[in-house]
Structure formats: structure tokens, C-alpha cells
Amino acid sequence: MTDKPDLLQISPFPPHMVEALEEDFTIHRYFEADDKAAMLDKLKDSVRFVATGGHHGCSADIIAALPKLEVISSFGVGYDAVDVKAAREHNVRVTNTPNVLNDAVAELTLGLMLALCRHIPQADAYVRAGHWASKGNYPLTTELTGKRLGILGHGRIGKEIARRAQVFKMEVVYHGRTKQADEPYPYYADLTEMARDVDWLVVIAPGSASTKGIVSREVMEALGPEGYLVNMARGTLIDEPAMVELLKSGKLGGAALDVFLDEPNVPEELFSLNNVVLAPHQGSATHKTRRAMGDLVVQNLRAHLKGDPLISPVV
């Protein structure tokens, strides 16, 4: 017998994180269970803790099936897959892992922007194929210097992207729910208007009902054939079919995409486009950052276990 409290692990985690959880909790791996309903029924009177990932989340059904549940600790800054409304109704706390991934996501954002405008993947393939020797120099490209960047979602990560963009001598503007009084960048109350005025649009807003489809056909058409779209947030924020159509027709200049509507299923039409750079949702995917995210998940659970304040609560 063990006196460690039961914890429901909804998604897979890195080994170091599992080892840390096992120090204080008895882990029940929901993602491995053949009969998930039976597992929930068995644990309904004992589970107070849930650990989950940003994609797996925690549904209203799981929350309702665990009447003793007290806290859900989510691995990732986005917690849209957790049914926050149900959590509130059942008096369940929810935490995420903000701040520790800001730098990694901002870094990849600029990396994808450079890859898109300087044709880094295509130039690499050109050299590997022997075309440099046989066909001559690769065609000229565009650059970031002097361009105007519009940021949709000027939160923690958006601010880090803005700082890095300024290093590249870009002009930064932003759009969000409200103007932030202490921010030095010009604010646009209308997203379409901002898209019309910028060369680059970076999407880094939270995924939610209020942001679903916010980057509409109208917004992308305003960005136009010389404009570039970068999505580091959630696939739900963009009208994906419209984006594909506009990229194919040349009515949208290009796109660098780290997230998609139905991951890991990416629209195959994008694979053949030369004006697109694709990444497999790896904004925070560095050894350092993922360890820090895992540590914060564990720290939040331990804090609640000890009766201490949660470190990064969202509910």
C-alpha cells in the first residue's frame, strides 16, 4: 500500500517529469487505459489531481467523473483543451506553464520568418541538388530589415517577438482586445486595417471561442500578395481553407506555419507550395524549455498538495 495521493495522467510526458511526479503521487495513465470509463469509475473517490498536456486537455466529462478533483495542471501555455467552464462549475483549479516558453517560441517565430523570406529551405535543397554549380546563383529574395510587423496577440510571447523583431530593424505594431497603455508600439483596434498596413502578420493569440477564425479571408486578402502570415498560436485562429486557396492563387504572399487546424494532419496542398514554410508544432520544443515546462507542472501540483498557493493559476 502507498500513502501517495492518486494522480490521473491524461497525456504522455517526458521521462524526467514522470519521475518527478512519481516522488509524490501514484500515477494512473489514462492515455494507456483500454477502458477509460472503467478507470475513471475506479478512481472517482480518490483522484484529486490531474496532469495533462495542452493538446489532450481535460474534458467536461472527465471533470464530472471525478467528484474529488481539485486541480488540473496543464503542460503548455495554451489551455484551450481544458474545459475551463466545467472546471469552474466543479470548483477545480487549473494551471498552465506560462513564461518559461516565451523565449523558445519567439526564437522559432523569427527563425520561420527568416526561413520564409530568405528561402532557406529552398536554398538548402538547391545546393544539395547540385544546382549551384550547374545553374548558378540562387534567385534573389526579400529580407526582414525595414519591414512592418503586425502582432496579433500582444501578450508575453508577443512582446518577446516584438523585441526580437526590432533587433532586425523592423517596425512593430499590434492588435489585441484592448490597447496596452505602457506599450511603445502603435495599436490597431481593427485587425483588417492592421493587416492592410503591415508586411508581416504574426498570430500569437490564445485559442478560444472568441478568437476562432479571427484571421479571416478578409484579413488575409488585406495582407495581400506581398504579405506574409506566421501562425504560432493555434490552427483554429485561421480560416485554413481560405488560407490555402489564397496561397495557391498568389493573393497571399506566403505563410510560415507551426500550427494547423487538425494536427498532425496538414493540408497536402501546402506541401507543393514554394511560398510556405512548415513546422510540426515545435515552438517550445527545446530540451531546456520542455524541462522547464515539466518542472512547472510538477511544482503546481506539489504546491496544491502542500496547501501552498498555485504558482501559475488560470482558474
Side-chain angles (χ1 to χ4, degrees), residues 86-253:
R88 287 196 179 99
E89 290 173 351
H90 289 82
N91 199 30
V92 175
R93 305 297 304 279
V94 178
T95 69
N96 67 340
T97 60
N99 295 318
V100 293
L101 48 64
N102 296 353
D103 289 330
V105 177
E107 183 178 278
L108 184 63
T109 304
L110 269 295
L112 290 175
M113 292 170 67
L114 284 168
L116 182 60
C117 75
R118 298 301 300 267
H119 291 196
I120 293 174
Q122 297 92 328
D124 176 86
Y126 190 83
V127 174
R128 292 174 187 269
H131 294 330
W132 191 14
S134 64
K135 297 182 179 181
N137 289 335
Y138 188 83
L140 300 181
T141 68
T142 185
E143 58 188 272
L144 298 182
T145 301
K147 302 298 184 180
R148 178 179 280 187
L149 168 64
I151 298 177
L152 167 57
H154 197 58
R156 299 180 184 95
I157 300 174
K159 291 179 176 64
E160 291 296 337
I161 293 170
R163 293 186 184 100
R164 286 160 175 78
Q166 288 185 299
V167 173
F168 283 90
K169 301 178 182 179
M170 300 185 79
E171 179 185 355
V172 176
V173 299
Y174 74 99
H175 168 78
R177 288 173 294 183
T178 58
K179 182 178 181 179
Q180 300 182 36
D182 297 326
E183 284 301 298
Y185 315 109
Y187 171 74
Y188 278 79
D190 184 87
L191 177 58
T192 304
E193 182 181 345
M194 184 177 80
R196 188 173 294 114
D197 288 350
V198 300
D199 304 292
W200 290 82
L201 175 60
V202 168
V203 182
I204 192 64
S208 67
S210 64
T211 59
K212 184 177 181 180
I214 190 171
V215 183
S216 62
R217 175 184 292 273
E218 180 186 13
V219 170
M220 290 182 280
E221 287 179 342
L223 190 56
E226 302 298 323
Y228 296 97
L229 175 66
V230 184
N231 192 4
M232 302 298 297
R234 289 286 189 266
T236 55
L237 275 74
I238 291 179
D239 182 339
E240 192 169 86
M243 177 189 69
V244 172
E245 178 189 323
L246 293 170
L247 286 167
K248 289 173 64 177
S249 67
K251 293 181 180 178
L252 176 62

